[in-house]
Amino acid sequence: MKRLLQIFTIFIVVIALASPVVAASSRKGKKVFKKSCKTCHSSKGEGGKLSPLAKTMAQWRLYFKNDQHSDKPEIWKGMSEKDQNNLLKFFLDFALDADQPETCG
């Protein structure tokens, strides 16, 4: 029985680590932001200045799940799922309520 519990625990850990956001990279997400988002989301851009500090982690999760850049959906649809997950990881890791909120670009 103890062996079965160990195998089950390992299985759960592997599944959790395989989750797209867990497997994503905030470093790569920052690169995606700079390449795909920063042009419009700067202080002089048409989308207005945007950074991870603009929302809490829960708000970013809802935005990525529901809104998906509804103002210009072609931006979102043109981005790979991997890039979307990396971008979300970047926003979550440096969100307003994160352990280490991003304070500079």
Side-chain angles (χ1 to χ4, degrees):
M1 187 67 170
K2 190 174 183 180
R3 179 82 173 144
L4 184 59
L5 183 60
Q6 287 175 332
I7 292 172
F8 180 73
T9 303
I10 291 170
F11 177 75
I12 295 299
V13 169
V14 169
I15 295 298
L17 292 176
S19 167
V21 174
V22 172
S25 162
S26 57
R27 182 180 51 80
K28 290 179 182 177
K30 187 171 186 172
K31 288 181 182 179
V32 171
F33 180 79
K34 285 182 176 182
K35 182 182 98 181
S36 302
C37 310
K38 192 127 182 155
T39 305
C40 292
H41 290 292
S42 63
S43 57
K44 296 181 183 179
E46 67 180 273
K49 187 168 172 84
L50 181 69
S51 80
L53 286 171
K55 299 180 186 302
T56 64
M57 289 186 280
Q59 290 170 324
W60 281 122
R61 282 188 184 97
L62 283 173
Y63 176 82
F64 274 72
K65 182 181 177 187
N66 298 330
D67 188 271
Q68 300 179 352
H69 209 290
S70 63
D71 292 342
K72 287 193 173 185
E74 64 275 10
I75 302 291
W76 191 257
K77 290 176 182 162
M79 196 180 295
S80 72
E81 185 176 345
K82 185 176 182 177
D83 282 349
Q84 291 173 10
N85 288 329
N86 287 329
L87 188 61
L88 175 57
K89 179 76 169 151
F90 169 63
F91 279 95
L92 292 177
D93 284 354
F94 301 105
L96 186 60
D97 59 344
D99 290 337
Q100 295 180 337
E102 175 143 272
T103 55
C104 60

